[in-house]
Amino acid sequence: MMKKAMTMALTATLATSAIAAPLAFAQNKVEPISNEVTEEVATNFIQLTGKLGKIDKLESGALFTTIEQGEQIFTLTIDENTIVLDNTGKKVELKEGLSFTAFVNKNKPMLMIYPPRYVPEVIVVETSDMGSVDIGTFDQDFVNKENTLKLNLSAESQITNLAGEKVQQEDIVGKEAIVFYGPATKSIPAQTNPYHVVVLETEVTKAEEVVPVEEAPNFDTFEGEITDIVTRENGTQLLVIEDEEQPFNLTVDKETVVLDNTGKKVQLEKGMKFTAYVNINKPVIYIYPPQYTPEAIIVQTELPSVAQLATFDANYVSNDKMLKVNLTDETEIVSLTGEKLTKDAVIDKQSLVFYTIATASIPAQTTPSKVIVLGEETVSITPEPVIQILDVLPGLIAQDSYEINGVTMVPLRDLAAYYGYTVKSTGKGAIITKGNLAYEITRGQKEYTANGVKQTFDEAPVLLEDNKTYVQQDLIYILRSAE
């Protein structure tokens, strides 16, 4: 099914809990109360909560579990570097069914697959013991930036980094840390003597406001599934895409770039799902169904890779501020004709970017395997006038047609002759010719030939009226498009 699409992107979003709010694991926890309005603080970690599913052990020794929460599904890989503690800061063994909160560094690369797969830095398991967990950034007085919690550190307070090594109190200042604590005062900020502090080692600054740049795209994006492929005498291919609401055809010539979503060349086949990129500044003859000549066609596969269209600034950040590409010597950068380019050629040009993993930050960062520069600067261009042709075919079909098993059947001779074809009876079917074009159909058989290439109907041609053969309406559209 074809739908007019925006930029592709194989991503899945999970609802996370508010970073500033403490995680309470006991009903009698004393909560600090504050009416102050605090500034929003940037964080490098997202929180994922849920109940552990079945835990499997991978060949690498890491643990793997799937968490299902209604429509939200994600997986966790727990390796030797993941810190696993309970809500009092003590080490604990993971078991199926336990409630948890996982802290994931959003700047870590992650596979662009569904369901999303995360490798957390820390997992905190809920127990019946009284204990609270908070994540925050603390100043030199050990007060978090929200001014809701002050740490009174003592010799009993265990302070470690992500590697489990002991660190000093001053190592907490200006860095994100997870704090495990019990009773707290009702003051503002609340004060507590923490059991355990895990320094996450990432300095945090106030987030800058990101204002996306509105761009005028030069390429329309179309998605669909190939219903039929017709090879023409001139070597081009006509892709037929059937859709109840918006059918369309694509002409594929020797200049059309055809790749899969990993950036590799691929042969087009029936049933393939694709995204086509069409230059809107090229003149178009509007007929029904509309026919486009795309610059590139990207075929979707099951491989965990993304092909994304975007325009990048001098820092290689997309205009919508959602993706930053880190171009290396291993990144293949080419034009539509396959000419090798430098990374400067990407700037201010619409480009197709192929990548597999990206960080969960904003913007997401990735090192793409391939970039195709489409060669059009994103400036406002007034398209050339288009030629519009009144489509009379739907009206002709409405005057004389039958429906068999949901397939519209139309009179072959009348409609083929309308488009200048000669129809010669073979007794069992017909041969339809025009110039170098030749088609042969046989009544009662779904198979037919189009310029020597075997094709298949959904419904076989049939004699419905005296000396009047009816064929699937798609053939008439193919005859017309092949003119």
Side-chain angles (χ1 to χ4, degrees), residues 8 10 259-264 266 297-308 353-356 369:
M8 284 176 45
L10 179 75
L259 304 169
D260 66 15
N261 57 303
T262 68
K264 296 179 181 178
V266 65
I297 295 177
I298 307 301
V299 175
Q300 301 309 309
T301 69
E302 295 180 354
L303 296 174
S305 185
V306 175
Q308 184 169 331
V353 179
F354 297 82
Y355 62 95
T356 303
S369 58

Side-chain angles (χ1 to χ4, degrees), residues 391-400:
D391 186 17
V392 298
L393 185 52
L396 295 174
I397 291 174
Q399 293 174 19
D400 186 2

Side-chain angles (χ1 to χ4, degrees), residues 8 261 277 305-312 323 325 327 331 346 351-355 366-373:
M8 284 176 45
N261 57 303
Y277 298 91
S305 185
V306 175
Q308 184 169 331
L309 179 68
T311 303
F312 297 90
L323 183 67
V325 290
L327 303 175
T331 303
V346 177
S351 303
L352 271 173
V353 179
F354 297 82
Y355 62 95
T366 187
T367 302
S369 58
K370 186 171 188 173
V371 178
I372 299 179
V373 180

